[in-house]
């Protein structure tokens, strides 16, 4: 055994196997779509047995939910890290644009917007979104209202309206035949919409 190394604990082995399955499942789901990916393909790609997969996940749908959670969290991280050194208003604009940019990337779209609603249902989708991107949106909108950059109003309705508008735009863009043009047009419209909120 090389110096300064130790055997991995069972918890570390479980975590490594779980991440390995999620990583390979995500690649396959993003490339081919949920319906066209089998458990056999996933375990072959991950280099594990079906028994190992079932030890960590209840099945394909459960594994897909883990993948979706990872995707949502990555999108939220991109939103939160947009223009981190800028003023609050600029962070708000940049974060909303970052969400739309990320959610219109084809490999994220396939998992988050094309497959997730039909595989898991909108209820589960909203629960995951509420703990990631929407949570960040709620935090920054609250701060903007507290600093009088947006007029005083209930936070929840505004957050749901903004979140709904961006999600609907991202869904529309999944069917666009002129994607590059429509993304730019949507970004411009989103920026104008957000600017209209400013006091």
């Amino acid at each position: 055994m090389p110096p300064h190394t130790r055997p991995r604990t069972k918890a570390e082995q479980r975590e490594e196997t779980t991440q390995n399955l999620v990583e390979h499942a995500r690649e396959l789901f993003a490339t081919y779509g949920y319906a066209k990916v089998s458990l056999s393909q996933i375990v072959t790609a991950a280099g594990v047995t079906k028994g190992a997969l079932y030890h960590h996940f209840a099945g394909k749908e459960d594994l897909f939910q883990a993948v979706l959670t990872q995707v949502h969290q990555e999108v939220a991280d991109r939103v939160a890290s947009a223009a981190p050194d800028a003023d609050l208003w600029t962070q708000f604009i940049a974060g909303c644009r970052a969400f739309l940019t990320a959610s219109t990337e084809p490999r994220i779209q396939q998992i988050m917007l094309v497959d997730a609603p039909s595989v898991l249902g909108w209820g589960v989708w909203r629960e995951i979104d509420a703990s990631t991107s929407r949570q960040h949106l709620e935090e920054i909108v609250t701060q903007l209202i507290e600093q009088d950059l947006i007029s005083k109003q209930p936070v929840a309705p505004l957050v749901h309206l903004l979140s709904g508008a961006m999600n609907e735009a991202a869904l529309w863009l999944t069917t666009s035949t002129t994607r590059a043009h429509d993304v730019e047009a949507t970004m411009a419209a989103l920026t104008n919409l957000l600017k209209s909120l400013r006091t």
Side-chain angles (χ1 to χ4, degrees):
M1 181 182 295
H4 309 301
T5 61
R6 59 172 176 77
R8 290 172 300 160
T9 65
K10 289 193 177 298
E12 289 171 336
Q13 291 174 21
R14 284 195 297 272
E15 178 63 20
E16 183 178 306
T17 302
T18 299
Q19 290 306 312
N20 181 38
L21 283 164
V22 169
E23 176 186 340
H24 285 91
R26 177 174 175 173
E27 176 65 24
L28 290 166
F29 290 145
T31 303
Y32 302 107
Y34 179 86
K36 294 182 179 179
V37 175
S38 68
L39 285 180
S40 294
Q41 288 175 288
I42 295 170
V43 297
T44 298
V48 301
T49 64
K50 279 191 179 180
L53 185 149
Y54 282 116
H55 182 71
H56 298 279
F57 298 98
K60 181 179 166 184
E61 184 177 309
D62 189 34
L63 177 54
F64 179 80
Q65 184 166 335
V67 169
L68 177 64
T69 300
Q70 183 186 79
V71 170
H72 267 284
Q73 187 57 59
E74 287 181 11
V75 171
D77 290 344
R78 288 168 65 170
V79 169
S81 63
D85 300 321
D87 61 89
L88 191 61
W89 180 260
T90 302
Q91 287 181 33
F92 176 51
I93 298 288
C96 290
R97 289 175 65 92
F99 173 84
L100 199 55
T101 299
S103 61
T104 53
E105 292 175 6
R107 296 175 69 79
I108 290 178
Q109 267 188 345
Q110 181 65 47
I111 293 169
M112 193 169 83
L113 298 170
V114 176
D115 285 334
S118 60
V119 174
L120 300 174
W122 278 112
V124 173
W125 193 99
R126 287 191 179 96
E127 285 177 11
I128 298 172
D129 182 57
S131 65
T132 52
S133 295
R134 199 170 78 218
Q135 182 181 52
H136 179 72
L137 180 61
E138 183 173 340
E139 289 169 357
I140 198 165
V141 166
T142 299
Q143 293 176 62
L144 288 165
I145 291 174
E146 288 172 348
Q147 294 184 22
D148 293 322
L149 294 171
I150 292 178
S151 60
K152 299 291 185 187
Q153 59 187 291
V155 171
L158 179 57
V159 167
H160 280 81
L161 284 167
L162 291 174
S163 179
M166 287 186 283
N167 287 330
E168 177 59 31
L171 280 167
W172 170 63
L173 288 167
T174 64
T175 62
S176 171
T177 56
T178 54
R179 185 176 178 277
H181 173 271
D182 288 340
V183 167
E184 284 306 310
T186 302
M187 288 292 189
L190 174 63
T191 301
N192 288 333
L193 174 64
L194 297 176
K195 286 180 177 177
S196 71
L197 295 172
R198 190 161 188 177
T199 53

